[in-house]
Amino acid sequence: MSKKILVWFRNDLRLHDNEMLVEAIAKSDSILPVYILDRRSFGETKYGTLKTGNIRAQFILESVLGLRSSLKQIGGNLLIAEGNPEDIIPQLAQEYEITEVYHHREVAREETHVSTLVENALWKLRINLKHFIGHTLYNKEDLPFPIKDIPDAFNQFKKKIERDSMIKPCFAAPDRINVAEVIDWGVLSSLEELNLLPQQKDQRADFEFVGGEAEGLAHLQKVIAAMQQAATTKNLILASKLSAWLAMGSLSPRKVYWEIKKMEGVPNTKAMFNHILLGLLWRDYFRFMFKKYGNTFFSPDGFGSQGLIDVVNEQDNFNKWKNAQTGFAVVDAVMTELNQTGFISNIARQTAALYLINNLEVSWVFGAAYFEEKLIDYNPASNWGNWANVAGVGNDQKSKSVFDLDKNIKNLDPKGNYSLTWAS
Ligand SMILES: Cc1cc2nc3c(=O)[nH]c(=O)nc-3n(C[C@H](O)[C@H](O)[C@H](O)COP(=O)(O)OP(=O)(O)OC[C@H]3O[C@@H](n4cnc5c(N)ncnc54)[C@H](O)[C@@H]3O)c2cc1C
């Protein structure tokens, strides 16, 4: 019997640096690349927010179609289905006589739960689900400590990992692929079919996020060009805006690292290099912390012991914050920017979060749920991990005291005109 591997794409929508794909091609006669649109990711949360808002939904659809077109360019295609992976993957496995299923391991509870359901269903068919690691800069296997011993303090984590670990080279993108014979490769739902409306463009938005590997790689080259320009003009632009492509896996963190590393030695580029690298380390840190502690990050208590305090007007205050009607100009401007574009800078995120938690006395979990709906770059570990940190209930006790709303506002809006420019 010929060996056919089903490659289940999730948040890893790329050909470059994709070990799962490289291995599937090497170890099979043909592969079946599959993406499943799981409607549960578009439902409502217990906080009255959507799991995925219109801006990220659009980006996801573009990213999936981007992967299909990347696969077509090397002689393949992407089978697109809609429903529950735990139902569809076993069906496809039987229909196409699949011998093994490959996927990337996730860390947050809903995603890992779906993996377990798929694994159990495949097990009944005596088919193995093989897990790959491909979302981080450093591989779990290459860490100088087991997951349970990863330092909770970010600074220690960074110091040790930089001293004792190495960043692997990227896997080359395949240039040819042999896919299973499929009669109907399926169509992807539109935004409207997901009951979402397209976002109207706001004139203040000076940046357009378009999903897909090709767009992500092109944006990475723009970041490098900006680094080169900064080398001569000394006009540093620190926010790379790479996060949305990283979140969908259309860009691999290793690819980002090795590309920006090519700038090493070019004068005046070190600050930007260090800034992006620091961001990628934070990203790894939260992922590994999710692996270490799992669901604790989703609990209102987090790693604290204060318990949920019942606050009068919590829902009213939450609504004002969401709708940019707090009366506090910078926060309202930041929330308008988030609502209109799906992206705000790190400092703007911290500012909005601090104001919600400290000034409006709303539990941070409501804010995290709202960011989950709105952010174009949402990923569970970075979002819930950062929110828990800002709320002071994260696992890194040292980070409790570093957040300061007044200082943030001075940095974010030194001229008091943020609402006009969104200069993030
Ligand atoms: C309350 C709150 C919620 C957040 N939610 C998310 C989220 O859902 N998804 C997300 O990707 N980031 C999240 N962040 C982290 C950070 O704000 C964004 O990653 C960053 O602003 C994206 O912009 P950039 O691509 O220009 O980042 P850069 O500053 O250019 O950094 C390069 C990359 O490093 C990563 N990164 C940078 N800072 C962080 C950080 N603090 N934590 C984790 N990763 C980081 C991102 O992938 C980013 O693209 C959150 C931060 C806060 C304070």
Side-chain angles (χ1 to χ4, degrees):
M1 194 169 95
S2 70
K3 189 159 163 100
K4 253 189 227 169
I5 295 176
L6 187 156
V7 178
W8 173 26
F9 284 95
R10 299 174 86 182
N11 292 324
D12 44 15
L13 305 177
R14 61 172 184 270
L15 302 190
H16 72 268
D17 196 25
N18 194 332
E19 183 182 8
M20 163 181 84
L21 187 60
V22 170
E23 189 173 314
I25 293 170
K27 293 203 171 156
S28 67
D29 300 301
S30 65
I31 70 163
L32 181 62
V34 174
Y35 179 84
I36 299 170
L37 192 78
D38 186 340
R39 285 269 180 164
R40 290 171 296 195
S41 322
F42 294 85
E44 254 193 48
T45 70
K46 61 180 170 191
Y47 305 103
T49 56
L50 289 178
K51 291 195 70 57
T52 309
N54 61 342
I55 298 178
R56 189 167 74 259
Q58 175 67 36
F59 193 79
I60 294 172
L61 299 181
E62 289 163 1
S63 307
V64 175
L65 294 177
L67 177 65
R68 178 178 261 182
S69 95
S70 299
L71 285 164
K72 279 185 173 173
Q73 278 170 24
I74 56 167
N77 205 334
L78 179 68
L79 194 152
I80 298 175
E82 198 169 312
N84 297 340
E86 63 271 26
D87 301 327
I88 292 174
I89 290 179
Q91 275 167 22
L92 291 173
Q94 283 179 300
E95 189 179 338
Y96 290 96
E97 299 181 324
I98 295 297
T99 42
E100 204 172 2
V101 177
Y102 284 6
H103 87 139
H104 272 113
R105 203 186 272 286
E106 290 285 346
V107 288
R109 61 183 175 196
E110 285 166 4
E111 292 78 359
T112 49
H113 179 60
V114 173
S115 299
T116 307
L117 295 176
V118 170
E119 191 162 28
N120 292 344
L122 286 173
W123 193 239
K124 290 185 187 144
L125 303 173
R126 297 184 179 276
I127 298 173
N128 179 45
L129 175 68
K130 182 163 179 179
H131 308 273
F132 285 81
I133 294 164
H135 290 296
T136 43
L137 188 59
Y138 287 91
N139 266 13
K140 180 168 72 82
E141 282 72 20
D142 301 332
L143 298 183
F145 22 61
I147 291 284
K148 69 174 181 38
D149 294 334
I150 298 183
D152 280 354
F154 172 76
N155 285 338
Q156 273 183 41
F157 163 81
K158 177 177 181 297
K159 204 167 139 189
K160 288 195 176 168
I161 207 170
E162 287 190 319
R163 193 189 58 201
D164 299 329
S165 283
M166 54 165 278
I167 298 166
K168 284 206 165 105
C170 290
F171 287 86
D175 52 12
R176 217 166 43 85
I177 197 168
N178 188 22
V179 290
E181 268 183 38
V182 174
I183 293 169
D184 181 6
W185 287 95
V187 282
L188 189 62
S189 285
S190 64
L191 205 57
E192 289 76 7
E193 283 162 337
L194 293 169
N195 301 320
L196 294 165
L197 293 172
Q199 184 67 33
Q200 297 304 319
K201 193 171 161 39
D202 190 299
Q203 290 311 311
R204 287 166 291 185
D206 63 350
F207 188 82
E208 205 175 344
F209 289 92
V210 180
E213 181 177 17
E215 284 74 10
L217 289 170
H219 180 62
L220 178 57
Q221 290 313 313
K222 282 190 195 147
V223 170
I224 288 162
M227 282 171 85
Q228 269 162 341
Q229 209 184 10
T232 45
T233 60
K234 296 194 180 171
N235 181 18
L236 272 188
I237 308 156
L238 285 177
S240 67
K241 292 190 170 145
L242 288 163
S243 52
W245 290 282
L246 283 163
M248 287 312 302
S250 306
L251 272 182
S252 99
R254 281 196 298 234
K255 178 78 179 168
V256 171
Y257 174 82
W258 289 114
E259 287 294 316
I260 60 170
K261 194 156 168 63
K262 289 180 187 161
M263 299 300 290
E264 203 172 31
V266 177
N268 302 319
T269 58
K270 205 165 173 50
M272 180 105 174
F273 174 83
N274 285 341
H275 172 84
I276 296 177
L277 178 59
L278 182 67
L280 294 177
L281 286 170
W282 271 109
R283 188 175 171 277
D284 270 18
Y285 167 78
F286 283 121
R287 251 194 119 83
F288 292 134
M289 286 302 123
F290 261 57
K291 191 94 192 112
K292 182 172 175 184
Y293 292 113
N295 292 345
T296 318
F297 279 100
F298 293 104
S299 129
D301 244 358
F303 294 81
S305 55
Q306 197 185 12
L308 247 195
I309 304 160
D310 240 347
V311 177
V312 199
N313 295 336
E314 188 172 55
Q315 195 58 50
D316 276 0
N317 285 349
F318 179 44
N319 287 337
K320 281 184 193 153
W321 180 79
K322 282 194 307 188
N323 299 325
Q325 288 170 348
T326 65
F328 195 79
V330 188
V331 171
D332 290 347
V334 162
M335 293 307 289
T336 307
E337 183 182 13
L338 173 66
N339 291 336
Q340 300 281 9
T341 68
F343 184 88
I344 47 177
S345 66
N346 190 47
I347 193 167
R349 292 176 204 212
Q350 288 175 5
T351 305
L354 285 170
Y355 192 82
L356 180 80
I357 298 162
N358 299 334
N359 298 55
L360 298 176
E361 297 187 314
V362 174
S363 170
W364 67 276
V365 285
F366 285 87
Y370 191 62
F371 271 27
E372 174 169 348
E373 171 179 332
K374 290 291 167 186
L375 283 176
I376 194 163
D377 59 20
Y378 170 75
N379 74 72
S382 298
N383 189 56
W384 291 81
N386 270 294
W387 269 95
N389 249 8
V390 177
V393 297
N395 58 315
D396 180 355
Q397 296 304 311
K398 285 218 172 103
S399 71
K400 271 189 178 171
S401 52
V402 300
F403 299 104
D404 177 339
L405 182 64
D406 291 337
K407 211 168 123 195
N408 264 15
I409 290 171
K410 273 189 201 134
N411 283 332
L412 181 64
D413 194 16
K415 294 185 188 148
N417 61 354
Y418 191 82
S419 62
L420 304 174
T421 58
W422 288 348
S424 55

